[in-house]
Amino acid sequence: DGGITQSPKYLFRKEGQNVTLSCEQNLNHDAMYWYRQDPGQGLRLIYYSQIVNDFQKGDIAEGYSVSREKKESFPLTVTSAQKNPTAFYLCASSLTADEQYFGPGTRLTVT
Amino acid sequence: RKEVEQDPGPFNVPEGATVAFNCTYSNSASQSFFWYRQDCRKEPKLLMSVYSSGNEDGRFTAQLNRASQYISLLIRDSKLSDSATYLCVVKLGGFKTIFGAGTRLFVKA
């Protein structure tokens, strides 16, 4: 089955720890994205990548880092510098710059 | 002013009703438009793209008004399974995409 997988579904961390969220796709899409969703708000773009070994900051990149070493994988690291890391994190991919397809998301709770 | 604005609702409608959502966008250079559906605590899923000529997919009709900078989604003969949050999405060009905060719909028996 083609699709986007994110793991884990739920993640709990203590404040001050870095944490890495996984995103893998087998759709052969060139572009991949990371969004953050907070209650009552729209999705906000953290980072996106159009091709391997290249990525761009989105609107809220501070406190986050990414890598794109393989076409299929786009992991997101939430660093201790992120002030409010508790959120629902969604990874997406697209073949062109149009329709994006999302993974099931990771709910991160930092206490 | 938000770049993409939607009425948050919730819209509470009985089964079989027709319901319409509007969404306004602020950037006249916006190029592509979409409606996504998001169920509670799930990922957004593409419902339909919105074309200038308007388009229909079964019970769903989407319209775009570039002059007034709004898009709409009409759902006819509402089903219980239509209960979800509907996200208006606007693409400015390249990879810049703006998501609305969503409109919640509850369809009741």
Side-chain angles (χ1 to χ4, degrees), chain B residues 44-58:
Chain B
K45 293 186 178 178
L46 179 66
L47 180 65
M48 58 198 304
S49 302
V50 187
Y51 304 118
S52 296
S53 55
N55 48 302
E56 188 173 305
D57 183 1

Side-chain angles (χ1 to χ4, degrees), chain A residues 14-35:
Chain A
K14 294 288 187 186
E15 200 174 303
Q17 294 179 333
N18 291 356
V19 60
T20 297
L21 281 57
S22 166
C23 177
E24 305 277 331
Q25 55 99 359
N26 61 5
L27 300 168
N28 201 32
H29 287 174
D30 288 314
M32 296 187 74
Y33 314 77
W34 273 106
Y35 292 91

Side-chain angles (χ1 to χ4, degrees), chain A residues 10 31 33 35 37 40-43 45 48 50 59 88 90 94 96-104 107, chain B residues 2-3 32 34 36 38 40-46 49 51 87 91 94-102:
Chain A
Y10 298 95
Y33 314 77
Y35 292 91
Q37 187 175 36
Q41 295 191 37
L43 278 66
L45 182 64
Y48 68 95
Q50 299 177 50
D59 300 317
F88 186 36
L90 288 155
S94 67
T96 64
D98 279 342
E99 296 98 345
Q100 296 179 25
Y101 296 89
F102 288 85
R107 292 195 178 272
Chain B
K2 289 183 180 177
E3 292 182 272
S32 306
F34 308 90
Y36 279 73
Q38 186 174 24
C40 188
R41 301 180 71 82
K42 300 282 191 180
E43 75 273 24
K45 293 186 178 178
L46 179 66
S49 302
Y51 304 118
L87 308 179
K91 200 120 195 167
F95 291 84
K96 177 73 170 173
T97 305
I98 309 296
F99 285 77

Side-chain angles (χ1 to χ4, degrees), chain B residues 11-88:
Chain B
F11 285 62
N12 293 288
V13 302
E15 268 188 298
T18 295
V19 61
F21 308 135
N22 286 331
C23 164
T24 58
Y25 59 94
S26 60
N27 194 322
S28 59
S30 299
Q31 297 182 357
S32 306
F33 308 88
F34 308 90
W35 284 102
Y36 279 73
R37 170 198 168 121
Q38 186 174 24
D39 292 295
C40 188
R41 301 180 71 82
K42 300 282 191 180
E43 75 273 24
K45 293 186 178 178
L46 179 66
L47 180 65
M48 58 198 304
S49 302
V50 187
Y51 304 118
S52 296
S53 55
N55 48 302
E56 188 173 305
D57 183 1
R59 298 181 293 109
F60 298 84
T61 301
Q63 302 235 315
L64 166 64
N65 185 318
R66 284 190 182 272
S68 301
Q69 294 183 200
Y70 79 82
I71 67 174
S72 64
L73 178 68
L74 182 78
I75 305 175
R76 291 181 299 277
D77 188 23
S78 300
K79 311 291 184 191
L80 294 175
S81 57
D82 293 334
S83 297
T85 297
Y86 291 84
L87 308 179
C88 171

